[in-house]
Structures are given as structure tokens and as C-alpha cells.
Amino acid sequence: MSERNYWFTVPLVRALAALGVRHACVTPGSRSTPLALALAREPGITDWPHLDERSSAFFALGLARATGFPVMAACTSGTAAAEFLPAAVEARNARVPLILVTADRPADLLGVGAPQTIDQAGLFGVAAKWSLDLEPPPPGEAAPGFAAALAARLVAFALDSPPGPVHLNLRFREPLVPEGPWPSEPVAVPGILPGRVMPAADAVVRLADLASGRRGLLVCGPQDDPALPAAAAACAAALGWPILADPLSGARAGSHDLNRVIAAGDPLAAAGWLGQAPPEVVVRVGALPTSKPLWQWLSGHPEVPQVLIDPAGWRDPGATLTLAVRADPAATLKALAAAAPRSAPAAWLEAWLRANGAAAAALDGVLEDVPFPNEPGVVRVLADALPAGALLAVASSMPIRDVDAFLPARPSPLRLLGNRGAAGIDGFLSTGFGAAAAHPGPACLLTGDLSALQGLLAAGSLARQGPFDVMHCPFGSIANMAVSAVYFVWGWTN
């Protein structure tokens, strides 16, 4: 009976749309027909068809990073489902909400030689925050609101702190094409109100006692909360501290106070500045900073009190934490700014700002003497060429390290994204294209040669179907900039 498939998928998709899911990436396959047709008929969800499951899942990841809300990726059974794993790993480590839906054969076809049939239950293992293996029940067998309640669970679990991927494995029985009328019953959807983990009052008092009057550093690592940069700026102002702002933290560009932002943290750490101006305490938010010299210094100095503010997880590979504050970083920094009674001596911040200016001038001098194009020069040209509100997606390995070292702080908004959860180069173009598809303004992708070559299939597919003009590498870009033989730049305006 085809009714059981559509009795389930239609209200499921309608409920997802009602809950705010606006995008679904779909790759072709017979077994996923009931889900694909339900998505095609839902006006509240934009379908993004893809030829390749791996590219589709990374495109969904980019959409979710840009919107901050769960995006669905749907595929057929067998090895097609296994292609979702790399994006699931990145999403879990980078805390990106995804809803991965894999179509499957019924359980009685498992292990008997049926084609395109593998064991898909729990396929993504620990990469999925939550998973469910389900054969859609016949009409009348489950509660009338079962599909809508399941949709609410998928969204809630994907958003629950820390956000991440969830997996629904649907075992569809044939026939896969609807035989009867399309379901039209209204769907009642449970509401979801995500919240923040607020800091306890005693935690704020302890933080204030640890930080007040001390020469400290506020290290902002990669993160996606748009509220954090302003909270970090207010906290640094109250404490008299510099902010070592990773480019993916959001704190290096924007309308918030940039007077304490250190953009040359990586070159300064590499040059040994932390040995000359060692902090008495370090407060970290976000993921590990991109700068390897900075992280190596922190890992090598456990005698310096180090505090991590994070609502979940344990980001401490160096095992040097003194205190873990399990709360929302932006809310905690805001509370710390209000509670700190004394700031550090003014000479502390002044020394860091002088060092930051000297490092920037030295880098400028070196770049003036090096023939253009070169990789650091490309980063500087992008910093000048990208307009306010633009998005810059940066590949892992050397591109993000060059951006960390050479991208200056700027007062005009610039959103930076990168796959730094597992820090792989695979899937970058698809992720960047997905983010650009949801970003309201101009977007640019900066990639190395290997990540560009790995993603050419995705790029060619999107160039044919996408709603944007892709300026093909290696010599097209915003403001007609030149690009080196190693770095490729892709740009468009929505």
C-alpha cells in the first residue's frame, strides 16, 4: 500500500515547514520517491537537487551554517546514504544543525542479498546526536499526530545545545508512487522554543574574582553566535583586556567596538610575543583557535589559569583548563562585564595594541616587496574588495591560516565561515555554495588547489542549476582581482 508512505511523509514534511525548516537538499533515487514527492509539493521548503550525495550533504551544511537553523538532506538507500557521513562528522564537530533522512528497504530485505541494501540503522554512529530507524506505520496504526511530533523531535534535537546532525532512516515498502488521493488533513505541530544556558550567579562571581585587575587575554575561537562579538567587546572593555579574535569568531569585523581586537595574534604568537607579555589569566570562548602557535603556547603553559566558557562539550585537548563554565558564552561575557570591579593596568592593553600595530606594519612591508599575486596578498585584496555584509567562506589547511594571519580587523560587517569542526578540505565548495545560497548579500569562496579539485563536481552541477553567477577560477573575482596559481576565488551576488 502506497498510502502508508504518504500518510507519513506528507505530514512529516508539512510539520517541518511549519517549524521553520526552509531548505532540503535532495539527490535522486527510487527508494526515496515518497519523501522527494512530499518535498516537491511543499511550498514552504525550497528543494535543492544534487547529483552527488556527498556534495548534497555539505551544501545542506552550508545552508544550515548561514541560517543557523536545521536543513534537511535526503537520499536513497545503500552507499548513497553512506556518502552523508563526512558532512555528518563536520556538522557534529562544528555544532551545525542538520536533519539527515535516508531512505531504506524494509527490514525483511536486510541480509538476504537484496540490491542496494545495507544496514543503515545507526549508520552515522557517534556523528549523529540522535537517530531513529523507522518503517512508516500504516494509516490508523500510530497516533494521528505521530509524524508531526517526530518532525518536532528532529528539529528540537538538532537545535539542542550543542547543535548538530540527527538521522532518520525511513524503510519504505513498495509501491513507492502514490496510488490514491494526496493526503490533505491539517497538521497540528508542537511548538519549539530553544533557549540559552544562562550562567549561575556564583559562576559569574567566581569568574569576576579570577579576572578582575589581572592582565588577561580574551581568546575568541571559531563560533557562529552573532551575539558574541558585541558581548566580547563589552567584556574586554570592562576588564581592560585585548581580544585575540580568530577570523571565524565574528569578532574581527563588524560594528561592535574593535579598539581592543588583536588581528595579528597568530604572527605575534609565532614571534614569541606571549613570552614577552605573558597573561595572568586566559578566558576562551568558541572552538580551538586556528592559530597553531597560539594554541601551542596555551597548551605549554598550564600554570596560567585558563577558563573555557561553553554550554556543552569539552574543548581542551591540551588538558590545561583551570575552570569550565557550562553556560552560554555571550550571556556569560555580558554578565562578567557587569560584575568585574577592576580592570587590568592600562599599560597591559597598550602594549598589546602597540605590538599588534607593529606586526601589521611589518606584514605590510613584506607584502610590498613580494610580487603579486601571492596567497597573503589575495587575503588583503579580499579584505579591501568585499563590501559590507558580504560572506567569505574559507577552506581549511593554508587558506584559513593565511586569513588568520593577514586579514585585518574592519568596521564593516563581514561574515566568515569555514569547516573547522573536523577541519577537512573535502566538501568545502559545496558548503560554501550552500552558505552563499542562503546569504542575502554578495559571497566569496577562498580555496586552495586540493579543496577546489575535490569539489569540482559540485561546482559544475551548481553552476548549471544555481540562481547565482559563478565567477570561475582562477582569475575571476570581485573587483577584478588577480589570484595566485594556488588559491582560487569564486564569487557571486544573490
Coordinates of all heavy atoms in Angstrom, one line a residue, residues 222-262:
P222 N 36.6 30.0 16.7 CA 35.5 29.9 15.7 C 34.2 29.6 16.4 O 34.1 28.7 17.3 CB 36.0 28.7 14.9 CG 37.5 28.7 15.0 CD 37.8 29.1 16.4
Q223 N 33.2 30.3 16.0 CA 31.9 30.1 16.5 C 30.9 30.8 15.7 O 31.2 31.7 14.8 CB 31.8 30.6 18.0 CG 32.0 32.1 18.2 CD 30.7 32.9 18.1 OE1 29.7 32.5 18.6 NE2 30.8 34.0 17.4
D224 N 29.6 30.6 15.8 CA 28.5 31.1 14.9 C 27.5 32.0 15.6 O 26.6 32.4 14.9 CB 27.8 29.9 14.2 CG 28.7 29.1 13.3 OD1 29.5 29.8 12.6 OD2 28.5 27.9 13.2
D225 N 27.6 32.3 16.8 CA 26.6 33.1 17.5 C 26.8 34.6 17.2 O 27.9 35.2 17.6 CB 26.7 32.9 19.0 CG 25.7 33.7 19.8 OD1 24.8 34.3 19.2 OD2 25.7 33.6 21.0
P226 N 25.9 35.3 16.5 CA 26.1 36.7 16.1 C 26.1 37.6 17.3 O 26.5 38.8 17.2 CB 24.9 37.0 15.2 CG 23.9 35.9 15.6 CD 24.6 34.7 16.0
A227 N 25.6 37.1 18.5 CA 25.6 38.0 19.7 C 26.9 38.0 20.4 O 27.2 38.9 21.2 CB 24.5 37.5 20.6
L228 N 27.8 37.1 20.1 CA 29.1 37.0 20.8 C 30.0 38.2 20.6 O 30.6 38.7 21.6 CB 29.8 35.7 20.6 CG 31.0 35.5 21.5 CD1 31.0 34.1 22.1 CD2 32.3 35.7 20.7
P229 N 30.3 38.7 19.4 CA 31.2 39.8 19.2 C 31.0 41.0 20.1 O 31.9 41.5 20.7 CB 31.1 40.1 17.7 CG 30.7 38.8 17.1 CD 29.8 38.2 18.1
A230 N 29.7 41.5 20.1 CA 29.4 42.6 21.0 C 29.6 42.3 22.4 O 30.1 43.2 23.2 CB 28.0 43.1 20.7
A231 N 29.2 41.1 22.9 CA 29.4 40.7 24.3 C 30.9 40.7 24.6 O 31.4 41.1 25.7 CB 28.8 39.4 24.6
A232 N 31.7 40.1 23.7 CA 33.2 40.1 23.9 C 33.8 41.4 24.0 O 34.7 41.7 24.8 CB 33.8 39.2 22.8
A233 N 33.4 42.4 23.1 CA 33.9 43.7 23.1 C 33.6 44.4 24.4 O 34.4 45.1 25.0 CB 33.3 44.5 21.9
A234 N 32.3 44.2 24.9 CA 31.9 44.9 26.2 C 32.7 44.3 27.4 O 33.2 45.0 28.3 CB 30.4 44.7 26.4
C235 N 32.9 43.0 27.3 CA 33.7 42.3 28.4 C 35.2 42.8 28.4 O 35.7 43.1 29.4 CB 33.6 40.8 28.3 SG 34.4 39.9 29.6
A236 N 35.8 42.8 27.2 CA 37.2 43.3 27.1 C 37.3 44.7 27.6 O 38.3 45.1 28.2 CB 37.6 43.1 25.7
A237 N 36.3 45.6 27.3 CA 36.4 47.0 27.7 C 36.3 47.1 29.2 O 37.1 47.9 29.8 CB 35.2 47.7 27.0
A238 N 35.5 46.3 29.8 CA 35.4 46.3 31.3 C 36.6 45.8 32.0 O 37.0 46.3 33.0 CB 34.1 45.5 31.7
L239 N 37.3 44.8 31.4 CA 38.4 44.2 32.0 C 39.8 44.8 31.6 O 40.8 44.5 32.2 CB 38.5 42.7 31.6 CG 37.3 41.8 32.2 CD1 37.4 40.4 31.6 CD2 37.4 41.7 33.7
G240 N 39.7 45.6 30.5 CA 41.0 46.2 30.0 C 41.8 45.2 29.3 O 43.1 45.3 29.4
W241 N 41.2 44.2 28.7 CA 41.9 43.1 28.0 C 41.9 43.3 26.5 O 41.0 43.8 25.9 CB 41.3 41.8 28.4 CG 41.5 41.3 29.7 CD1 42.1 42.0 30.8 CD2 41.0 40.1 30.3 NE1 42.0 41.2 31.9 CE2 41.4 40.0 31.6 CE3 40.4 39.0 29.7 CZ2 41.1 39.0 32.5 CZ3 40.1 37.9 30.5 CH2 40.4 37.9 31.9
P242 N 42.9 42.8 25.8 CA 42.9 42.6 24.4 C 42.0 41.4 24.0 O 41.9 40.4 24.8 CB 44.3 42.4 24.0 CG 45.0 41.9 25.2 CD 44.3 42.4 26.4
I243 N 41.5 41.4 22.8 CA 40.7 40.2 22.3 C 41.6 39.6 21.2 O 41.8 40.3 20.2 CB 39.4 40.6 21.7 CG1 38.5 41.3 22.8 CG2 38.6 39.4 21.2 CD1 37.2 41.9 22.2
L244 N 42.0 38.4 21.3 CA 42.6 37.6 20.3 C 41.5 37.0 19.5 O 40.9 36.0 19.9 CB 43.6 36.6 20.8 CG 45.0 37.1 21.1 CD1 45.1 38.2 22.1 CD2 46.0 36.0 21.5
A245 N 41.2 37.6 18.3 CA 40.0 37.3 17.6 C 40.3 36.4 16.4 O 40.9 36.9 15.4 CB 39.3 38.5 17.1
D246 N 39.9 35.1 16.5 CA 40.0 34.3 15.3 C 39.2 34.8 14.2 O 38.1 35.4 14.5 CB 39.6 32.9 15.7 CG 39.8 31.8 14.6 OD1 39.0 31.7 13.7 OD2 40.9 31.1 14.7
P247 N 39.6 34.7 12.9 CA 38.7 35.2 11.9 C 37.3 34.6 11.8 O 36.4 35.3 11.3 CB 39.5 34.9 10.6 CG 40.5 33.8 10.9 CD 40.8 34.1 12.4
L248 N 37.2 33.4 12.3 CA 35.9 32.7 12.2 C 35.1 32.9 13.5 O 34.0 32.3 13.7 CB 36.1 31.2 12.0 CG 36.8 30.8 10.7 CD1 36.9 29.3 10.6 CD2 36.0 31.3 9.5
S249 N 35.5 33.8 14.4 CA 34.8 34.1 15.6 C 33.7 35.1 15.4 O 32.8 35.3 16.3 CB 35.8 34.6 16.7 OG 36.3 35.9 16.4
G250 N 33.8 35.9 14.3 CA 32.9 37.0 14.1 C 33.3 38.3 14.8 O 32.7 39.4 14.6
A251 N 34.4 38.2 15.7 CA 34.8 39.4 16.4 C 35.8 40.3 15.7 O 36.1 41.4 16.2 CB 35.4 38.9 17.8
R252 N 36.3 39.9 14.6 CA 37.3 40.6 13.9 C 36.7 41.7 12.9 O 37.4 42.6 12.4 CB 38.3 39.7 13.1 CG 39.6 40.4 12.8 CD 40.5 39.5 12.0 NE 41.1 38.5 12.8 CZ 42.2 37.7 12.5 NH1 42.7 38.0 11.3 NH2 42.7 36.8 13.2
A253 N 35.4 41.6 12.6 CA 34.8 42.5 11.7 C 33.4 42.8 12.2 O 32.7 41.9 12.7 CB 34.8 42.0 10.3
G254 N 32.9 44.0 12.0 CA 31.6 44.4 12.4 C 31.5 45.7 13.1 O 32.5 46.5 13.2
S255 N 30.3 46.1 13.5 CA 30.0 47.4 14.0 C 30.3 47.5 15.5 O 30.1 48.6 16.1 CB 28.5 47.8 13.7 OG 27.7 46.8 14.3
H256 N 30.6 46.4 16.2 CA 31.0 46.4 17.6 C 32.3 47.1 17.8 O 33.0 47.4 16.8 CB 31.0 45.0 18.2 CG 32.0 44.1 17.4 ND1 31.6 43.5 16.3 CD2 33.2 43.7 17.7 CE1 32.7 42.7 15.9 NE2 33.7 42.9 16.7
D257 N 32.7 47.4 19.0 CA 33.9 48.1 19.4 C 35.1 47.2 19.0 O 35.3 46.1 19.5 CB 33.9 48.4 20.9 CG 35.1 49.2 21.3 OD1 35.9 49.6 20.4 OD2 35.2 49.5 22.5
L258 N 35.9 47.7 18.1 CA 37.1 47.0 17.6 C 38.4 47.5 18.2 O 39.5 47.0 17.9 CB 37.2 47.0 16.1 CG 36.1 46.4 15.3 CD1 36.2 46.7 13.8 CD2 36.0 44.9 15.5
N259 N 38.3 48.4 19.2 CA 39.5 49.0 19.7 C 40.5 48.1 20.5 O 41.6 48.4 20.7 CB 39.1 50.2 20.7 CG 38.5 51.4 19.9 OD1 38.9 51.6 18.7 ND2 37.6 52.1 20.5
R260 N 40.0 47.0 20.9 CA 40.8 46.0 21.6 C 41.1 44.7 20.9 O 41.6 43.8 21.4 CB 40.2 45.7 23.0 CG 40.1 46.9 23.9 CD 39.1 46.8 25.0 NE 38.9 48.1 25.6 CZ 38.1 49.1 25.2 NH1 37.4 48.8 24.1 NH2 38.0 50.2 25.8
V261 N 40.6 44.7 19.6 CA 40.8 43.5 18.8 C 42.2 43.3 18.3 O 42.8 44.3 17.7 CB 39.8 43.5 17.6 CG1 40.1 42.3 16.6 CG2 38.4 43.3 18.2
I262 N 42.8 42.2 18.5 CA 44.2 41.9 18.0 C 44.0 41.0 16.8 O 43.7 39.8 17.0 CB 45.0 41.2 19.1 CG1 45.1 42.1 20.4 CG2 46.4 40.9 18.6 CD1 45.7 43.4 20.2

